[in-house]
Amino acid sequence: SQTIHQWPATLVQPVGSPLSLECTVEGTSNPNLYWYRQAAGRGLQLLFYSVGIGQISSEVPQNLSASRPQDRQFILSSKKLLLSDSGFYLCAWSRYGQGGQPQHFGDGTRLSIL
Amino acid sequence: SQQGEEDPQALSIQEGENATMNCSYKTSINNLQWYRQNSGRGLVHLILIRSNEREKHSGRLRVTLDTSKKSSSLLITASRAADTASYFCATGGTGGTSYGKLTFGQGTILTVHP
C-alpha cells in the first residue's frame, strides 16, 4: 500500500532563517506531488506541483521554492523566512496522469515564525 | 483563487441526525472531490464524482453533482460524534495541463454532539 511521510510535524523558526520541509512517498512510482499551505480556519492554497523529477511548477509568487531530487521525494525550502510564511504545510500525492484522481495527504507541518 | 465555496461555514447537529453540506463552483470541471480533515491533521479523501455523474454513494455518504447549477452536496446520514471534522470540496479542472491539480473551498466545520 502507498504511504506518505512528512516531517517535521511542528517547527518554530526565527524570521530570516532558512527552511527545509521534506515529503516522501512509498509504494507508488512517478506520482504527481503537491505542496499546499493552509491558513488557520481556511482552505488549502496550492503552492507547487510536480509531475516528475526536476519538474516544478509554482502556482503563486512567494518566498518559497520546491525541488524534487528523486521520484518520490519533494522538498519545500526557503532561504529567509518571513512572518507571513507561518501556516500549516501539507504535502500530497496522486497517481500520475491528467486528473480525475484522488490526492493523498501527509499529516502536515505546523510552521511558526517568531 | 478559491473556486469552491462551501455552505454553511459551520454546522452543529446531534448524533443520529443527517448533515448536508453544499459546494458551489464557478468554472467547468472534470471532477469534484470531497475531503475530510480532523483538527491538526492532513486531509482524507472521501469521494470523487466525475462531471458526467449525478450521484454517488459510499457507506453513509451521498454526493450529488449538478453541473448546470455548478453545485454539489455532501450528505452524511445518521451522523456520529466521530464525524466531527472540517469538510472540503475540491474541483479538478478540464484541459490537458490540469495534472490532477485541485482547487479547494474554504470548508464546512461539522460538529456532531453526542
Side-chain angles (χ1 to χ4, degrees), chain A residues 12-100:
Chain A
V12 180
Q13 293 284 96
V15 170
S17 64
L19 172 74
S20 181
L21 302 180
E22 190 161 341
C23 171
T24 59
V25 180
E26 296 177 357
T28 189
S29 297
N30 198 24
N32 289 345
L33 296 172
Y34 312 87
W35 277 112
Y36 292 91
R37 178 167 58 206
Q38 185 179 30
R42 306 280 291 178
L44 277 66
Q45 180 185 37
L46 179 63
L47 302 176
F48 299 96
Y49 70 93
S50 172
V51 299
I53 296 173
Q55 300 179 61
I56 309 294
S57 296
S58 173
E59 288 293 290
V60 293
Q62 61 209 311
N63 184 44
L64 302 167
S65 62
S67 61
R68 185 171 177 173
Q70 299 180 46
D71 181 45
R72 288 167 288 180
Q73 183 185 28
F74 206 21
I75 298 172
L76 184 69
S77 304
S78 174
K79 292 181 180 178
K80 284 188 176 183
L81 285 167
L82 307 172
L83 283 174
S84 58
D85 292 323
S86 291
F88 191 48
Y89 288 83
L90 290 156
C91 180
W93 73 272
S94 69
R95 294 195 185 284
Y96 178 80
Q98 291 300 326

